[in-house]
Amino acid sequence: MNVRWIDNHCHLEQDSLEAAVAEASAAGVAAMIDVGTDSATSTAAIAKAAASDRVWATAGVHPHEARHGTGGIEDLLGSDRVVAVGECGLDYHYNHSPPPDQQAVFAAQIEMAHRHGMPLVIHSREAWDDTFAILDEGGVPNHTVFHCFTGGPDEARAALDRGAYLSFSGIVSFPSADDVRAAAELCPLDRLLVETDSPYLAPVPMRGKPNTPANLPLVGEALARACGVTLEAIAEHTWDNAVAFYRL
């Protein structure tokens, strides 16, 4: 089956970059977006992207790191290998950073996306109302994606009504994730993205093992089943969507 994939969201390890890219390429994953979660990881993502023509980077502050502020992030957005701001947003499950810090840093990164005309990558966990409220106040950037979408149909419609894209991870393959599959089913194919979020969230049947971008076709298979379309359709649409979204 001759299909090609873009892993819309992953976290690559520098010391295994060459092997991970080679393994992914062999599985049909021709491009990867390596996502920053603070200044250090964003800088590292840029270095990895500079080392491989199959890797692009983002620069942002994850809600877990929001207590440290956004220092240095905006300076990184000028790199020609940086294609988005984020990941940023709200995570009230762990609250590793106080919610007021998360909210302020999320709002600041929305402003950065507007100033630089760049896509925005959102992480939202158990914080849907505040996520949408802050987005509405700041204005939704033209290209906005909810990565590793964990909501159900109601949250999916709220995101789609704001013009956002939905990116689905290996969670779509989990037996307990009926709400996520229902959200995928209603998502238009032209707003759909696919990711591994590696090294986390390995899809069925790889649960319990470290995840890699090479597992993306397994996520694609689960997503195709949820959407009621062919694997080839998922690969084609998510490829075209990612190319347009990140201006690759």
PDB file of all heavy atoms in Angstrom, residues 7 9-16 20 23 33-35 37 41 48 87 147-148 169-170 174 195-203 206-215:
ATOM      1  N   ASP A   7       3.438  12.903  10.646  1.00  0.00           N
ATOM      2  CA  ASP A   7       3.161  12.870  12.086  1.00  0.00           C
ATOM      3  C   ASP A   7       3.075  14.316  12.555  1.00  0.00           C
ATOM      4  O   ASP A   7       4.083  15.002  12.731  1.00  0.00           O
ATOM      5  CB  ASP A   7       4.267  12.111  12.819  1.00  0.00           C
ATOM      6  CG  ASP A   7       3.916  11.841  14.283  1.00  0.00           C
ATOM      7  OD1 ASP A   7       2.960  12.466  14.790  1.00  0.00           O
ATOM      8  OD2 ASP A   7       4.609  11.022  14.915  1.00  0.00           O
ATOM      9  N   HIS A   9       2.420  15.631  15.311  1.00  0.00           N
ATOM     10  CA  HIS A   9       2.825  16.019  16.673  1.00  0.00           C
ATOM     11  C   HIS A   9       3.590  14.873  17.308  1.00  0.00           C
ATOM     12  O   HIS A   9       3.034  13.814  17.609  1.00  0.00           O
ATOM     13  CB  HIS A   9       1.573  16.320  17.508  1.00  0.00           C
ATOM     14  CG  HIS A   9       1.845  17.005  18.806  1.00  0.00           C
ATOM     15  ND1 HIS A   9       1.465  18.311  19.054  1.00  0.00           N
ATOM     16  CD2 HIS A   9       2.441  16.578  19.946  1.00  0.00           C
ATOM     17  CE1 HIS A   9       1.811  18.648  20.289  1.00  0.00           C
ATOM     18  NE2 HIS A   9       2.416  17.595  20.849  1.00  0.00           N
ATOM     19  N   CYS A  10       4.886  15.099  17.535  1.00  0.00           N
ATOM     20  CA  CYS A  10       5.708  14.098  18.215  1.00  0.00           C
ATOM     21  C   CYS A  10       6.812  14.807  18.977  1.00  0.00           C
ATOM     22  O   CYS A  10       7.055  16.011  18.791  1.00  0.00           O
ATOM     23  CB  CYS A  10       6.292  13.086  17.231  1.00  0.00           C
ATOM     24  SG  CYS A  10       7.334  13.781  15.930  1.00  0.00           S
ATOM     25  N   HIS A  11       7.462  14.052  19.845  1.00  0.00           N
ATOM     26  CA  HIS A  11       8.572  14.561  20.647  1.00  0.00           C
ATOM     27  C   HIS A  11       9.746  13.607  20.423  1.00  0.00           C
ATOM     28  O   HIS A  11       9.779  12.508  20.988  1.00  0.00           O
ATOM     29  CB  HIS A  11       8.182  14.627  22.124  1.00  0.00           C
ATOM     30  CG  HIS A  11       6.943  15.436  22.384  1.00  0.00           C
ATOM     31  ND1 HIS A  11       6.964  16.808  22.511  1.00  0.00           N
ATOM     32  CD2 HIS A  11       5.646  15.059  22.520  1.00  0.00           C
ATOM     33  CE1 HIS A  11       5.732  17.245  22.731  1.00  0.00           C
ATOM     34  NE2 HIS A  11       4.918  16.193  22.731  1.00  0.00           N
ATOM     35  N   LEU A  12      10.677  13.998  19.586  1.00  0.00           N
ATOM     36  CA  LEU A  12      11.786  13.144  19.174  1.00  0.00           C
ATOM     37  C   LEU A  12      12.949  13.266  20.144  1.00  0.00           C
ATOM     38  O   LEU A  12      13.167  14.328  20.737  1.00  0.00           O
ATOM     39  CB  LEU A  12      12.241  13.514  17.767  1.00  0.00           C
ATOM     40  CG  LEU A  12      11.181  13.357  16.667  1.00  0.00           C
ATOM     41  CD1 LEU A  12      11.668  14.007  15.378  1.00  0.00           C
ATOM     42  CD2 LEU A  12      10.845  11.891  16.442  1.00  0.00           C
ATOM     43  N   GLU A  13      13.709  12.189  20.273  1.00  0.00           N
ATOM     44  CA  GLU A  13      14.896  12.177  21.110  1.00  0.00           C
ATOM     45  C   GLU A  13      16.118  12.474  20.246  1.00  0.00           C
ATOM     46  O   GLU A  13      16.312  11.858  19.196  1.00  0.00           O
ATOM     47  CB  GLU A  13      15.060  10.822  21.797  1.00  0.00           C
ATOM     48  CG  GLU A  13      13.912  10.458  22.737  1.00  0.00           C
ATOM     49  CD  GLU A  13      13.834  11.369  23.949  1.00  0.00           C
ATOM     50  OE1 GLU A  13      14.874  11.929  24.345  1.00  0.00           O
ATOM     51  OE2 GLU A  13      12.725  11.520  24.495  1.00  0.00           O
ATOM     52  N   GLN A  14      16.962  13.406  20.682  1.00  0.00           N
ATOM     53  CA  GLN A  14      18.127  13.796  19.891  1.00  0.00           C
ATOM     54  C   GLN A  14      19.063  12.614  19.647  1.00  0.00           C
ATOM     55  O   GLN A  14      19.567  12.423  18.548  1.00  0.00           O
ATOM     56  CB  GLN A  14      18.893  14.907  20.600  1.00  0.00           C
ATOM     57  CG  GLN A  14      20.105  15.423  19.824  1.00  0.00           C
ATOM     58  CD  GLN A  14      19.716  16.192  18.572  1.00  0.00           C
ATOM     59  OE1 GLN A  14      19.013  17.192  18.651  1.00  0.00           O
ATOM     60  NE2 GLN A  14      20.158  15.731  17.414  1.00  0.00           N
ATOM     61  N   ASP A  15      19.275  11.790  20.684  1.00  0.00           N
ATOM     62  CA  ASP A  15      20.278  10.736  20.552  1.00  0.00           C
ATOM     63  C   ASP A  15      19.824   9.574  19.688  1.00  0.00           C
ATOM     64  O   ASP A  15      20.636   8.713  19.324  1.00  0.00           O
ATOM     65  CB  ASP A  15      20.732  10.221  21.924  1.00  0.00           C
ATOM     66  CG  ASP A  15      19.588   9.684  22.762  1.00  0.00           C
ATOM     67  OD1 ASP A  15      18.446   9.652  22.274  1.00  0.00           O
ATOM     68  OD2 ASP A  15      19.838   9.286  23.914  1.00  0.00           O
ATOM     69  N   SER A  16      18.534   9.524  19.358  1.00  0.00           N
ATOM     70  CA  SER A  16      18.042   8.466  18.469  1.00  0.00           C
ATOM     71  C   SER A  16      17.348   9.031  17.240  1.00  0.00           C
ATOM     72  O   SER A  16      16.570   8.339  16.577  1.00  0.00           O
ATOM     73  CB  SER A  16      17.076   7.549  19.226  1.00  0.00           C
ATOM     74  OG  SER A  16      15.971   8.302  19.739  1.00  0.00           O
ATOM     75  N   ALA A  20      15.150   7.030  14.444  1.00  0.00           N
ATOM     76  CA  ALA A  20      13.702   7.261  14.463  1.00  0.00           C
ATOM     77  C   ALA A  20      13.206   7.737  13.109  1.00  0.00           C
ATOM     78  O   ALA A  20      12.140   7.297  12.635  1.00  0.00           O
ATOM     79  CB  ALA A  20      13.354   8.279  15.547  1.00  0.00           C
ATOM     80  N   GLU A  23      13.329   4.737  10.676  1.00  0.00           N
ATOM     81  CA  GLU A  23      12.249   3.788  10.968  1.00  0.00           C
ATOM     82  C   GLU A  23      10.906   4.351  10.511  1.00  0.00           C
ATOM     83  O   GLU A  23      10.074   3.633   9.924  1.00  0.00           O
ATOM     84  CB  GLU A  23      12.223   3.501  12.469  1.00  0.00           C
ATOM     85  CG  GLU A  23      11.183   2.484  12.883  1.00  0.00           C
ATOM     86  CD  GLU A  23      11.099   2.307  14.392  1.00  0.00           C
ATOM     87  OE1 GLU A  23      11.491   3.240  15.126  1.00  0.00           O
ATOM     88  OE2 GLU A  23      10.634   1.249  14.835  1.00  0.00           O
ATOM     89  N   ILE A  33       6.488  16.647  12.797  1.00  0.00           N
ATOM     90  CA  ILE A  33       6.524  17.931  13.491  1.00  0.00           C
ATOM     91  C   ILE A  33       6.964  17.656  14.922  1.00  0.00           C
ATOM     92  O   ILE A  33       6.254  17.028  15.700  1.00  0.00           O
ATOM     93  CB  ILE A  33       5.154  18.635  13.495  1.00  0.00           C
ATOM     94  CG1 ILE A  33       4.547  18.694  12.084  1.00  0.00           C
ATOM     95  CG2 ILE A  33       5.284  20.024  14.096  1.00  0.00           C
ATOM     96  CD1 ILE A  33       5.333  19.485  11.086  1.00  0.00           C
ATOM     97  N   ASP A  34       8.199  18.100  15.260  1.00  0.00           N
ATOM     98  CA  ASP A  34       8.766  17.892  16.588  1.00  0.00           C
ATOM     99  C   ASP A  34       8.387  19.092  17.450  1.00  0.00           C
ATOM    100  O   ASP A  34       8.746  20.238  17.144  1.00  0.00           O
ATOM    101  CB  ASP A  34      10.286  17.749  16.462  1.00  0.00           C
ATOM    102  CG  ASP A  34      10.939  17.344  17.764  1.00  0.00           C
ATOM    103  OD1 ASP A  34      10.321  16.593  18.537  1.00  0.00           O
ATOM    104  OD2 ASP A  34      12.082  17.778  18.013  1.00  0.00           O
ATOM    105  N   VAL A  35       7.691  18.833  18.520  1.00  0.00           N
ATOM    106  CA  VAL A  35       6.995  19.885  19.260  1.00  0.00           C
ATOM    107  C   VAL A  35       7.755  20.292  20.514  1.00  0.00           C
ATOM    108  O   VAL A  35       8.115  19.445  21.344  1.00  0.00           O
ATOM    109  CB  VAL A  35       5.575  19.425  19.603  1.00  0.00           C
ATOM    110  CG1 VAL A  35       4.862  20.445  20.490  1.00  0.00           C
ATOM    111  CG2 VAL A  35       4.783  19.191  18.312  1.00  0.00           C
ATOM    112  N   THR A  37       8.084  22.191  24.216  1.00  0.00           N
ATOM    113  CA  THR A  37       7.229  22.375  25.390  1.00  0.00           C
ATOM    114  C   THR A  37       7.758  23.437  26.341  1.00  0.00           C
ATOM    115  O   THR A  37       7.096  23.780  27.318  1.00  0.00           O
ATOM    116  CB  THR A  37       7.078  21.050  26.161  1.00  0.00           C
ATOM    117  OG1 THR A  37       8.380  20.565  26.528  1.00  0.00           O
ATOM    118  CG2 THR A  37       6.372  19.999  25.302  1.00  0.00           C
ATOM    119  N   THR A  41      13.395  22.718  25.110  1.00  0.00           N
ATOM    120  CA  THR A  41      12.956  21.703  24.160  1.00  0.00           C
ATOM    121  C   THR A  41      12.620  22.307  22.800  1.00  0.00           C
ATOM    122  O   THR A  41      12.789  21.641  21.771  1.00  0.00           O
ATOM    123  CB  THR A  41      11.750  20.915  24.697  1.00  0.00           C
ATOM    124  OG1 THR A  41      10.694  21.831  25.018  1.00  0.00           O
ATOM    125  CG2 THR A  41      12.125  20.112  25.927  1.00  0.00           C
ATOM    126  N   LYS A  48      17.073  19.629  15.844  1.00  0.00           N
ATOM    127  CA  LYS A  48      16.736  18.363  15.186  1.00  0.00           C
ATOM    128  C   LYS A  48      16.174  18.606  13.789  1.00  0.00           C
ATOM    129  O   LYS A  48      16.486  17.878  12.838  1.00  0.00           O
ATOM    130  CB  LYS A  48      15.731  17.587  16.050  1.00  0.00           C
ATOM    131  CG  LYS A  48      16.363  16.940  17.273  1.00  0.00           C
ATOM    132  CD  LYS A  48      15.332  16.301  18.190  1.00  0.00           C
ATOM    133  CE  LYS A  48      14.745  17.290  19.160  1.00  0.00           C
ATOM    134  NZ  LYS A  48      13.789  16.667  20.100  1.00  0.00           N
ATOM    135  N   GLU A  87       3.565  23.534  21.878  1.00  0.00           N
ATOM    136  CA  GLU A  87       2.194  23.383  22.287  1.00  0.00           C
ATOM    137  C   GLU A  87       1.928  24.232  23.512  1.00  0.00           C
ATOM    138  O   GLU A  87       2.753  24.348  24.402  1.00  0.00           O
ATOM    139  CB  GLU A  87       1.820  21.928  22.549  1.00  0.00           C
ATOM    140  CG  GLU A  87       2.576  21.248  23.695  1.00  0.00           C
ATOM    141  CD  GLU A  87       2.210  19.788  23.878  1.00  0.00           C
ATOM    142  OE1 GLU A  87       1.103  19.495  24.360  1.00  0.00           O
ATOM    143  OE2 GLU A  87       3.061  18.943  23.546  1.00  0.00           O
ATOM    144  N   HIS A 147      -4.406  19.446  19.535  1.00  0.00           N
ATOM    145  CA  HIS A 147      -3.620  18.223  19.379  1.00  0.00           C
ATOM    146  C   HIS A 147      -4.091  17.183  20.386  1.00  0.00           C
ATOM    147  O   HIS A 147      -4.666  17.497  21.428  1.00  0.00           O
ATOM    148  CB  HIS A 147      -2.122  18.551  19.536  1.00  0.00           C
ATOM    149  CG  HIS A 147      -1.500  18.046  20.783  1.00  0.00           C
ATOM    150  ND1 HIS A 147      -0.974  16.771  20.891  1.00  0.00           N
ATOM    151  CD2 HIS A 147      -1.324  18.621  21.988  1.00  0.00           C
ATOM    152  CE1 HIS A 147      -0.489  16.607  22.108  1.00  0.00           C
ATOM    153  NE2 HIS A 147      -0.684  17.709  22.801  1.00  0.00           N
ATOM    154  N   CYS A 148      -3.869  15.912  20.035  1.00  0.00           N
ATOM    155  CA  CYS A 148      -4.237  14.793  20.906  1.00  0.00           C
ATOM    156  C   CYS A 148      -5.645  15.007  21.445  1.00  0.00           C
ATOM    157  O   CYS A 148      -5.876  15.034  22.662  1.00  0.00           O
ATOM    158  CB  CYS A 148      -3.227  14.639  22.049  1.00  0.00           C
ATOM    159  SG  CYS A 148      -3.423  13.117  22.998  1.00  0.00           S
ATOM    160  N   SER A 169      -4.676  11.097  18.179  1.00  0.00           N
ATOM    161  CA  SER A 169      -3.516  10.284  18.551  1.00  0.00           C
ATOM    162  C   SER A 169      -3.946   8.830  18.705  1.00  0.00           C
ATOM    163  O   SER A 169      -5.081   8.454  18.386  1.00  0.00           O
ATOM    164  CB  SER A 169      -2.939  10.794  19.865  1.00  0.00           C
ATOM    165  OG  SER A 169      -3.847  10.494  20.922  1.00  0.00           O
ATOM    166  N   GLY A 170      -3.041   8.002  19.259  1.00  0.00           N
ATOM    167  CA  GLY A 170      -3.348   6.605  19.505  1.00  0.00           C
ATOM    168  C   GLY A 170      -4.532   6.382  20.425  1.00  0.00           C
ATOM    169  O   GLY A 170      -5.081   5.270  20.463  1.00  0.00           O
ATOM    170  N   PHE A 174      -7.980   3.200  21.590  1.00  0.00           N
ATOM    171  CA  PHE A 174      -8.178   2.605  22.914  1.00  0.00           C
ATOM    172  C   PHE A 174      -9.625   2.115  23.052  1.00  0.00           C
ATOM    173  O   PHE A 174     -10.567   2.845  22.677  1.00  0.00           O
ATOM    174  CB  PHE A 174      -7.898   3.614  24.025  1.00  0.00           C
ATOM    175  CG  PHE A 174      -6.473   4.092  24.127  1.00  0.00           C
ATOM    176  CD1 PHE A 174      -5.498   3.678  23.230  1.00  0.00           C
ATOM    177  CD2 PHE A 174      -6.110   4.984  25.130  1.00  0.00           C
ATOM    178  CE1 PHE A 174      -4.192   4.131  23.326  1.00  0.00           C
ATOM    179  CE2 PHE A 174      -4.799   5.435  25.240  1.00  0.00           C
ATOM    180  CZ  PHE A 174      -3.842   5.011  24.338  1.00  0.00           C
ATOM    181  N   GLU A 195      -1.551  12.074  14.585  1.00  0.00           N
ATOM    182  CA  GLU A 195      -0.291  12.223  15.310  1.00  0.00           C
ATOM    183  C   GLU A 195      -0.008  10.985  16.143  1.00  0.00           C
ATOM    184  O   GLU A 195      -0.918  10.180  16.425  1.00  0.00           O
ATOM    185  CB  GLU A 195      -0.348  13.430  16.235  1.00  0.00           C
ATOM    186  CG  GLU A 195      -1.362  13.277  17.371  1.00  0.00           C
ATOM    187  CD  GLU A 195      -1.374  14.458  18.317  1.00  0.00           C
ATOM    188  OE1 GLU A 195      -2.069  15.454  18.012  1.00  0.00           O
ATOM    189  OE2 GLU A 195      -0.701  14.368  19.371  1.00  0.00           O
ATOM    190  N   THR A 196       1.247  10.867  16.575  1.00  0.00           N
ATOM    191  CA  THR A 196       1.572   9.838  17.570  1.00  0.00           C
ATOM    192  C   THR A 196       1.688  10.411  18.976  1.00  0.00           C
ATOM    193  O   THR A 196       1.462   9.707  19.948  1.00  0.00           O
ATOM    194  CB  THR A 196       2.894   9.124  17.234  1.00  0.00           C
ATOM    195  OG1 THR A 196       3.967  10.083  17.223  1.00  0.00           O
ATOM    196  CG2 THR A 196       2.806   8.395  15.907  1.00  0.00           C
ATOM    197  N   ASP A 197       2.083  11.672  19.117  1.00  0.00           N
ATOM    198  CA  ASP A 197       2.456  12.253  20.411  1.00  0.00           C
ATOM    199  C   ASP A 197       3.546  11.411  21.065  1.00  0.00           C
ATOM    200  O   ASP A 197       3.645  11.349  22.293  1.00  0.00           O
ATOM    201  CB  ASP A 197       1.255  12.402  21.340  1.00  0.00           C
ATOM    202  CG  ASP A 197       1.494  13.422  22.464  1.00  0.00           C
ATOM    203  OD1 ASP A 197       2.440  14.227  22.336  1.00  0.00           O
ATOM    204  OD2 ASP A 197       0.746  13.396  23.461  1.00  0.00           O
ATOM    205  N   SER A 198       4.347  10.725  20.238  1.00  0.00           N
ATOM    206  CA  SER A 198       5.414   9.881  20.777  1.00  0.00           C
ATOM    207  C   SER A 198       6.390  10.740  21.594  1.00  0.00           C
ATOM    208  O   SER A 198       6.548  11.926  21.314  1.00  0.00           O
ATOM    209  CB  SER A 198       6.148   9.190  19.627  1.00  0.00           C
ATOM    210  OG  SER A 198       6.765  10.140  18.783  1.00  0.00           O
ATOM    211  N   PRO A 199       6.970  10.148  22.643  1.00  0.00           N
ATOM    212  CA  PRO A 199       6.992   8.722  22.993  1.00  0.00           C
ATOM    213  C   PRO A 199       5.819   8.258  23.849  1.00  0.00           C
ATOM    214  O   PRO A 199       5.888   7.174  24.443  1.00  0.00           O
ATOM    215  CB  PRO A 199       8.301   8.606  23.782  1.00  0.00           C
ATOM    216  CG  PRO A 199       8.399   9.926  24.500  1.00  0.00           C
ATOM    217  CD  PRO A 199       7.869  10.941  23.513  1.00  0.00           C
ATOM    218  N   TYR A 200       4.750   9.023  23.893  1.00  0.00           N
ATOM    219  CA  TYR A 200       3.586   8.686  24.709  1.00  0.00           C
ATOM    220  C   TYR A 200       2.503   8.042  23.857  1.00  0.00           C
ATOM    221  O   TYR A 200       2.518   8.112  22.631  1.00  0.00           O
ATOM    222  CB  TYR A 200       3.032   9.957  25.383  1.00  0.00           C
ATOM    223  CG  TYR A 200       4.104  10.844  25.947  1.00  0.00           C
ATOM    224  CD1 TYR A 200       4.434  12.044  25.332  1.00  0.00           C
ATOM    225  CD2 TYR A 200       4.825  10.462  27.074  1.00  0.00           C
ATOM    226  CE1 TYR A 200       5.442  12.861  25.833  1.00  0.00           C
ATOM    227  CE2 TYR A 200       5.832  11.267  27.587  1.00  0.00           C
ATOM    228  CZ  TYR A 200       6.140  12.459  26.955  1.00  0.00           C
ATOM    229  OH  TYR A 200       7.143  13.252  27.459  1.00  0.00           O
ATOM    230  N   LEU A 201       1.520   7.433  24.519  1.00  0.00           N
ATOM    231  CA  LEU A 201       0.247   7.032  23.922  1.00  0.00           C
ATOM    232  C   LEU A 201       0.388   6.083  22.731  1.00  0.00           C
ATOM    233  O   LEU A 201      -0.242   6.268  21.692  1.00  0.00           O
ATOM    234  CB  LEU A 201      -0.551   8.280  23.501  1.00  0.00           C
ATOM    235  CG  LEU A 201      -0.883   9.272  24.616  1.00  0.00           C
ATOM    236  CD1 LEU A 201      -1.556  10.505  24.049  1.00  0.00           C
ATOM    237  CD2 LEU A 201      -1.767   8.607  25.667  1.00  0.00           C
ATOM    238  N   ALA A 202       1.193   5.046  22.891  1.00  0.00           N
ATOM    239  CA  ALA A 202       1.312   4.063  21.817  1.00  0.00           C
ATOM    240  C   ALA A 202      -0.057   3.475  21.496  1.00  0.00           C
ATOM    241  O   ALA A 202      -0.837   3.151  22.398  1.00  0.00           O
ATOM    242  CB  ALA A 202       2.277   2.955  22.220  1.00  0.00           C
ATOM    243  N   PRO A 203      -0.373   3.336  20.218  1.00  0.00           N
ATOM    244  CA  PRO A 203      -1.691   2.817  19.841  1.00  0.00           C
ATOM    245  C   PRO A 203      -1.789   1.311  20.035  1.00  0.00           C
ATOM    246  O   PRO A 203      -0.778   0.601  20.126  1.00  0.00           O
ATOM    247  CB  PRO A 203      -1.780   3.161  18.348  1.00  0.00           C
ATOM    248  CG  PRO A 203      -0.351   3.121  17.887  1.00  0.00           C
ATOM    249  CD  PRO A 203       0.453   3.670  19.045  1.00  0.00           C
ATOM    250  N   MET A 206       0.259  -1.725  20.306  1.00  0.00           N
ATOM    251  CA  MET A 206       1.592  -1.445  20.858  1.00  0.00           C
ATOM    252  C   MET A 206       1.540  -0.884  22.267  1.00  0.00           C
ATOM    253  O   MET A 206       2.534  -0.388  22.782  1.00  0.00           O
ATOM    254  CB  MET A 206       2.327  -0.442  19.945  1.00  0.00           C
ATOM    255  CG  MET A 206       2.392  -0.845  18.479  1.00  0.00           C
ATOM    256  SD  MET A 206       3.205  -2.425  18.214  1.00  0.00           S
ATOM    257  CE  MET A 206       4.897  -1.972  18.574  1.00  0.00           C
ATOM    258  N   ARG A 207       0.383  -0.983  22.924  1.00  0.00           N
ATOM    259  CA  ARG A 207       0.222  -0.418  24.257  1.00  0.00           C
ATOM    260  C   ARG A 207       1.271  -0.976  25.197  1.00  0.00           C
ATOM    261  O   ARG A 207       1.607  -2.163  25.158  1.00  0.00           O
ATOM    262  CB  ARG A 207      -1.173  -0.729  24.806  1.00  0.00           C
ATOM    263  CG  ARG A 207      -2.310  -0.092  24.022  1.00  0.00           C
ATOM    264  CD  ARG A 207      -2.295   1.415  24.095  1.00  0.00           C
ATOM    265  NE  ARG A 207      -2.544   1.915  25.440  1.00  0.00           N
ATOM    266  CZ  ARG A 207      -1.901   2.925  25.996  1.00  0.00           C
ATOM    267  NH1 ARG A 207      -0.957   3.561  25.340  1.00  0.00           N
ATOM    268  NH2 ARG A 207      -2.213   3.318  27.218  1.00  0.00           N
ATOM    269  N   GLY A 208       1.790  -0.104  26.068  1.00  0.00           N
ATOM    270  CA  GLY A 208       2.790  -0.520  27.039  1.00  0.00           C
ATOM    271  C   GLY A 208       4.209  -0.404  26.544  1.00  0.00           C
ATOM    272  O   GLY A 208       5.143  -0.641  27.309  1.00  0.00           O
ATOM    273  N   LYS A 209       4.380  -0.030  25.285  1.00  0.00           N
ATOM    274  CA  LYS A 209       5.717   0.141  24.714  1.00  0.00           C
ATOM    275  C   LYS A 209       5.941   1.618  24.398  1.00  0.00           C
ATOM    276  O   LYS A 209       4.979   2.369  24.194  1.00  0.00           O
ATOM    277  CB  LYS A 209       5.851  -0.682  23.431  1.00  0.00           C
ATOM    278  CG  LYS A 209       5.665  -2.174  23.640  1.00  0.00           C
ATOM    279  CD  LYS A 209       5.785  -2.922  22.318  1.00  0.00           C
ATOM    280  CE  LYS A 209       5.578  -4.418  22.538  1.00  0.00           C
ATOM    281  NZ  LYS A 209       5.674  -5.173  21.251  1.00  0.00           N
ATOM    282  N   PRO A 210       7.198   2.069  24.344  1.00  0.00           N
ATOM    283  CA  PRO A 210       7.445   3.454  23.924  1.00  0.00           C
ATOM    284  C   PRO A 210       6.908   3.680  22.509  1.00  0.00           C
ATOM    285  O   PRO A 210       7.064   2.828  21.629  1.00  0.00           O
ATOM    286  CB  PRO A 210       8.970   3.567  23.969  1.00  0.00           C
ATOM    287  CG  PRO A 210       9.412   2.484  24.901  1.00  0.00           C
ATOM    288  CD  PRO A 210       8.443   1.361  24.703  1.00  0.00           C
ATOM    289  N   ASN A 211       6.267   4.788  22.327  1.00  0.00           N
ATOM    290  CA  ASN A 211       5.693   5.114  21.018  1.00  0.00           C
ATOM    291  C   ASN A 211       6.752   5.766  20.128  1.00  0.00           C
ATOM    292  O   ASN A 211       7.676   6.410  20.620  1.00  0.00           O
ATOM    293  CB  ASN A 211       4.512   6.056  21.217  1.00  0.00           C
ATOM    294  CG  ASN A 211       3.557   6.064  20.041  1.00  0.00           C
ATOM    295  OD1 ASN A 211       3.677   5.253  19.132  1.00  0.00           O
ATOM    296  ND2 ASN A 211       2.603   6.966  20.082  1.00  0.00           N
ATOM    297  N   THR A 212       6.605   5.608  18.817  1.00  0.00           N
ATOM    298  CA  THR A 212       7.496   6.240  17.843  1.00  0.00           C
ATOM    299  C   THR A 212       6.671   6.701  16.652  1.00  0.00           C
ATOM    300  O   THR A 212       5.570   6.196  16.417  1.00  0.00           O
ATOM    301  CB  THR A 212       8.580   5.270  17.340  1.00  0.00           C
ATOM    302  OG1 THR A 212       7.967   4.286  16.468  1.00  0.00           O
ATOM    303  CG2 THR A 212       9.287   4.576  18.486  1.00  0.00           C
ATOM    304  N   PRO A 213       7.182   7.643  15.860  1.00  0.00           N
ATOM    305  CA  PRO A 213       6.451   8.059  14.663  1.00  0.00           C
ATOM    306  C   PRO A 213       6.160   6.915  13.700  1.00  0.00           C
ATOM    307  O   PRO A 213       5.197   6.994  12.921  1.00  0.00           O
ATOM    308  CB  PRO A 213       7.383   9.104  14.039  1.00  0.00           C
ATOM    309  CG  PRO A 213       8.112   9.688  15.200  1.00  0.00           C
ATOM    310  CD  PRO A 213       8.357   8.514  16.113  1.00  0.00           C
ATOM    311  N   ALA A 214       6.952   5.843  13.739  1.00  0.00           N
ATOM    312  CA  ALA A 214       6.703   4.700  12.861  1.00  0.00           C
ATOM    313  C   ALA A 214       5.360   4.039  13.136  1.00  0.00           C
ATOM    314  O   ALA A 214       4.833   3.311  12.270  1.00  0.00           O
ATOM    315  CB  ALA A 214       7.824   3.674  13.012  1.00  0.00           C
ATOM    316  N   ASN A 215       4.774   4.298  14.310  1.00  0.00           N
ATOM    317  CA  ASN A 215       3.459   3.733  14.632  1.00  0.00           C
ATOM    318  C   ASN A 215       2.308   4.551  14.063  1.00  0.00           C
ATOM    319  O   ASN A 215       1.145   4.180  14.258  1.00  0.00           O
ATOM    320  CB  ASN A 215       3.291   3.629  16.146  1.00  0.00           C
ATOM    321  CG  ASN A 215       4.135   2.532  16.756  1.00  0.00           C
ATOM    322  OD1 ASN A 215       4.438   1.533  16.104  1.00  0.00           O
ATOM    323  ND2 ASN A 215       4.527   2.716  18.014  1.00  0.00           N
TER     324      ASN A 215
END
